Amino acid sequence: MSHLGSLDIFVVGSGGGPDETNLSAYLVKPCNASWEAGIIALEAGSGQGALNQLLLRNPDLFNTTNTAPPARHSASEIYSFVRGFLLSHAHLDHLQSLVISAGSLSGPRKRLYAFKEVLNDVETIFGDRLWPNLASWDQADEDYKYLYTPLYNNGKYHKLESFPRISVKAVPIDHGHYESSGQYDSSAFFIRDNDSGKEFLFFGDVETGPRIVNVWRSAAPKIPNQLDTIFIECSWPSSREDDRLYGHLKPERLRDEVVALAKQVYATRLPTGSTQASGSRTRPHRKKQKLNPAPVSPTPVFEPGALHGILNGVRVFVIHCKEQLDGGPGQPMKDLIVGQVKALVDAEKLGVEILSADQGMHIRI
């Protein structure tokens, strides 16, 4: 599928640790607008320091105007253009640069968008102990403070006050279990360009669980015309034991989730009232003698090959791979994990393209 473009994404960091120079952090803007016109930051694990190192290697990373001499920006300037941060959850590998940079970022006041529970967790950091109180719930507070702005799990798109061109729908997902507090929540974001209606799906950290199906159900009717790009984690390689995933995915489980999406897409394309897979014979309807039967949700019958090609035109970017920094030889862990995911998913013949979201990459939606 050709990507003419509605949104530009720059990957400041895509790793899942322990390399602190490459943690979850993405910059998003409309593709027909300049970076100076405003940016939404998606996660904030890495930040100005990581971006500075990328710019030292390639000073023209943000020159999208083809000017001569090229228009160049420093890392500090790029982050001054940020209007707000979208945070999936409050683990440090997703917000450490947000904390370190608090009070030193220039430009307009910046909002922190997340579920209320996530913002409550962030507030414990800005408590004049771990870090000075440099964030506030008060719109009238000092401009140098971040402004907490809750998102709600109401199935609706939230137009960002600081960036009305973009809307976000947040959906809670599962990310592990703590003995002290129980199930820990993360978030998935549907991020939409309001002008074109195009959107992409971004997962914070996630594990296979009962709530991820809600995300796939929401995504399925939009694929591939409205939504054709998904970012989802795969933290561990296939060799990782299931009881040591700690709220994350490995290739086999990510494969299962991509298949689950394919099944949801298939279900949305069935004729109303049908439960048959494409190419199967229609089963005769027989009258039931029982009065007032309880309603039953139809379950599609998947015959061999029913899902082949159903995700044509869809790209899945694998993120949050955890690197090994032991100095040993061999390919980077990210390359191993993405290769394993690709082999498993390709075997399903769904038509989806498996890609790696690499640090320093520009991605157009």
Side-chain angles (χ1 to χ4, degrees):
M1 175 175 291
S2 173
H3 291 272
L4 299 178
S6 295
L7 295 170
D8 282 330
I9 301 173
F10 181 81
V11 183
V12 180
S14 61
D19 179 4
E20 71 276 7
T21 69
N22 183 18
L23 298 173
S24 298
Y26 306 80
L27 302 176
V28 183
K29 74 168 184 65
C31 67
N32 60 357
S34 67
W35 295 99
E36 296 96 318
I39 299 169
I40 291 296
L42 177 55
E43 310 282 41
S46 292
Q48 293 180 87
L51 182 56
N52 184 61
Q53 293 303 310
L54 292 170
L55 288 169
L56 288 175
R57 295 196 289 270
N58 182 2
D60 297 327
L61 277 175
F62 292 89
N63 178 30
T64 57
T65 58
N66 296 318
T67 58
R72 292 175 173 173
H73 296 293
S74 68
S76 177
E77 286 175 323
I78 290 296
Y79 271 89
S80 75
F81 306 148
V82 170
R83 304 289 180 81
F85 291 84
L86 273 170
L87 305 174
S88 67
H89 61 296
H91 283 163
L92 289 176
D93 58 323
H94 292 256
L95 53 78
Q96 73 165 11
S97 75
L98 177 85
V99 176
I100 297 297
S101 295
S104 65
L105 293 177
S106 58
R109 188 178 190 184
K110 303 175 197 318
R111 291 177 180 260
L112 305 184
Y113 295 101
F115 284 132
K116 180 68 160 48
E117 295 79 4
V118 176
L119 296 178
N120 289 341
D121 289 342
V122 175
E123 190 177 23
T124 65
I125 300 175
F126 292 118
D128 287 331
R129 298 291 296 176
L130 294 177
W131 206 251
N133 184 9
L134 297 173
S136 174
W137 298 94
D138 187 355
Q139 177 82 42
D141 214 334
E142 297 93 342
D143 285 346
Y144 67 86
K145 290 187 174 183
Y146 296 131
L147 182 62
Y148 295 123
T149 308
L151 299 175
Y152 300 96
N153 178 28
N154 56 12
K156 298 180 180 179
Y157 282 80
H158 179 93
K159 186 176 288 188
L160 303 183
E161 293 89 339
S162 58
F163 209 113
R165 170 78 182 266
I166 292 177
S167 293
V168 175
K169 181 171 75 170
V171 183
I173 51 180
D174 298 315
H175 177 34
H177 188 277
Y178 288 87
E179 292 184 5
S180 59
S181 58
Q183 182 64 45
Y184 186 82
D185 290 348
S186 180
S187 316
F189 296 123
F190 290 86
I191 300 175
R192 183 175 68 191
D193 171 55
N194 294 325
D195 285 5
S196 67
K198 287 278 291 184
E199 59 189 280
F200 68 96
L201 172 58
F202 181 92
F203 282 86
D205 294 356
V206 63
E207 66 180 340
T208 298
R211 290 192 293 180
I212 194 172
V213 69
N214 296 325
V215 182
W216 299 139
R217 286 171 179 158
S218 294
K222 304 173 184 180
I223 286 175
N225 295 327
Q226 185 178 345
L227 191 161
D228 62 11
T229 304
I230 298 168
F231 295 81
I232 187 167
E233 71 125 285
C234 192
S235 296
W236 307 110
S238 294
S239 59
R240 188 78 173 187
E241 300 90 342
D242 286 351
D243 61 355
R244 297 181 63 238
L245 295 178
Y246 305 127
H248 295 288
L249 297 177
K250 68 178 189 178
E252 288 76 9
R253 294 199 176 189
L254 178 50
R255 181 268 319 277
D256 293 345
E257 292 303 334
V258 176
V259 171
L261 169 62
K263 290 180 177 179
Q264 291 295 329
V265 172
Y266 176 81
T268 66
R269 298 177 184 177
L270 283 174
T272 303
S274 172
T275 62
Q276 295 300 299
S278 176
S280 63
R281 295 186 300 275
T282 302
R283 297 174 182 171
H285 294 282
R286 299 176 180 174
K287 292 184 179 181
K288 303 292 185 180
Q289 299 300 317
K290 182 179 178 180
L291 297 177
N292 300 320
V296 177
S297 299
T299 300
V301 178
F302 296 102
E303 294 189 353
L307 300 179
H308 287 180
I310 199 163
L311 297 182
N312 282 336
V314 176
R315 303 180 295 176
V316 171
F317 285 92
V318 178
I319 59 176
H320 204 270
C321 301
K322 293 182 177 290
E323 286 294 342
Q324 287 184 330
L325 302 179
D326 56 7
Q331 68 182 142
M333 184 60 68
K334 171 182 65 66
D335 294 345
L336 173 64
I337 292 172
V338 174
Q340 290 175 341
V341 174
K342 180 173 174 55
L344 288 165
V345 174
D346 285 354
E348 301 292 332
K349 300 180 180 180
L350 304 174
V352 63
E353 185 178 11
I354 301 297
L355 300 164
S356 173
D358 297 330
Q359 191 174 34
M361 179 185 286
H362 282 273
I363 299 169
R364 177 153 287 185
I365 304 300

